[in-house]
Amino acid sequence: MKIDSLRDLFLDELKDAYDFEHQLLDALPKMADNAHDPKLQKGFLQHLKQTEGQVQRLEQVFLGIGEKAERKTCKGMKGLIEEGEEFFEARGDEAAVDAALIGAAQRVEHYEMAAYGTLRSMAETLGHEQEARLLQETLEQEERADEKLSRLAERRVNPRAADGVGVPRRTTRGQTKDELYEQAQRLGIEGRSKMSKQQLARAVQRHG
């Protein structure tokens, strides 16, 4: 690898970012499929749509500096995604697994934030003002995504994992309403007598 100027480095980093965004287009649907919390699933799918837009923004940046959009394998993102995939087959408490997925997702977000902050700074130095604004837009989007993941972890997923209430779904699968009611009774779940079978199953899963 040879770098003779800041522009050379900027172009190399752009190719790296273009690749890691494509890697995420493949990874995010899998993360959504393996998440248990509905809000976490929704968050991953929303970020998938944002990532599609981020790819388009990078293509605009390439066009703006008169270069063809090309990918250079981002080994850093590849490693982060591989680490996250370790949790796809994880068993046990669902909330704890979701907490692990959030941690993996936030490591990815922080990597992206660092990359886009660097690219934006380079674009500004090189006088590519419009391209810098596009990169800043993506950076801000990544920052908001990271904040949402933090709130979801702190207010919803982590407390459940700490209390051990993220009971695997298989514990209620195939059970009759009477069996679920007995579990709810042992757990002291209020309002159980008025619950449907589905409501009982959800209440048991939440309370463990």
Side-chain angles (χ1 to χ4, degrees):
M1 180 179 179
K2 186 179 180 182
I3 301 174
D4 290 325
S5 67
L6 183 64
R7 191 182 191 283
D8 289 345
L9 180 59
F10 179 61
L11 181 58
D12 188 77
E13 292 292 322
L14 270 181
K15 293 177 181 179
D16 191 82
Y18 195 52
D19 180 74
F20 71 56
E21 294 293 12
H22 278 89
Q23 289 188 45
L24 287 172
L25 287 177
D26 293 331
L28 283 165
K30 298 175 186 176
M31 296 181 79
D33 287 342
N34 287 278
H36 303 94
D37 188 284
K39 288 190 176 181
L40 182 57
Q41 292 174 338
K42 183 179 179 181
F44 284 145
L45 292 176
Q46 286 177 337
H47 198 54
L48 174 61
K49 291 187 179 294
Q50 291 178 338
T51 301
E52 292 170 352
Q54 290 166 3
V55 168
Q56 292 173 358
R57 249 181 247 125
L58 284 172
E59 291 170 349
Q60 288 180 263
V61 173
F62 277 109
L63 183 63
I65 65 172
E67 296 286 348
K68 179 182 177 181
E70 294 180 341
R71 294 170 62 176
K72 173 190 173 184
T73 301
C74 179
K75 296 178 182 178
M77 183 61 73
K78 186 176 180 181
L80 288 172
I81 290 174
E82 287 176 353
E83 284 186 0
E85 287 176 344
E86 293 178 2
F87 301 118
F88 289 179
E89 302 301 322
R91 296 290 181 268
D93 183 88
E94 289 183 350
V97 173
D98 281 349
L101 289 174
I102 289 175
Q106 288 197 284
R107 283 191 287 276
V108 167
E109 292 294 348
H110 295 173
Y111 187 94
E112 290 186 278
M113 287 157 59
Y116 279 109
T118 298
L119 283 167
R120 191 246 4 253
S121 179
M122 288 182 183
E124 290 174 343
T125 301
L126 292 167
H128 300 308
E129 295 181 4
Q130 183 175 348
E131 289 69 36
R133 286 194 292 270
L134 289 169
L135 294 164
Q136 177 65 25
E137 187 177 347
T138 295
L139 175 59
E140 291 173 357
Q141 201 169 49
E142 298 295 358
E143 289 171 344
R144 289 193 296 271
D146 182 57
E147 289 171 1
K148 287 180 180 178
L149 286 168
S150 289
R151 286 197 299 271
L152 184 59
E154 293 166 3
R155 301 178 184 179
R156 185 178 177 93
V157 175
N158 288 356
R160 291 181 179 180
D163 292 338
V165 297
V167 181
R169 289 171 184 162
R170 64 176 179 271
T171 60
T172 60
R173 188 176 299 160
Q175 290 183 308
T176 66
K177 184 178 180 180
D178 287 342
E179 289 171 334
L180 289 167
Y181 181 84
E182 288 178 6
Q183 277 189 273
Q185 189 174 33
R186 287 197 299 271
L187 292 167
I189 296 173
E190 296 181 0
R192 57 186 177 273
S193 61
K194 298 179 181 180
M195 292 183 183
S196 65
K197 179 181 176 181
Q198 187 178 24
Q199 289 171 328
L200 284 167
R202 285 199 298 265
V204 168
Q205 289 173 349
R206 283 197 302 268
H207 288 77

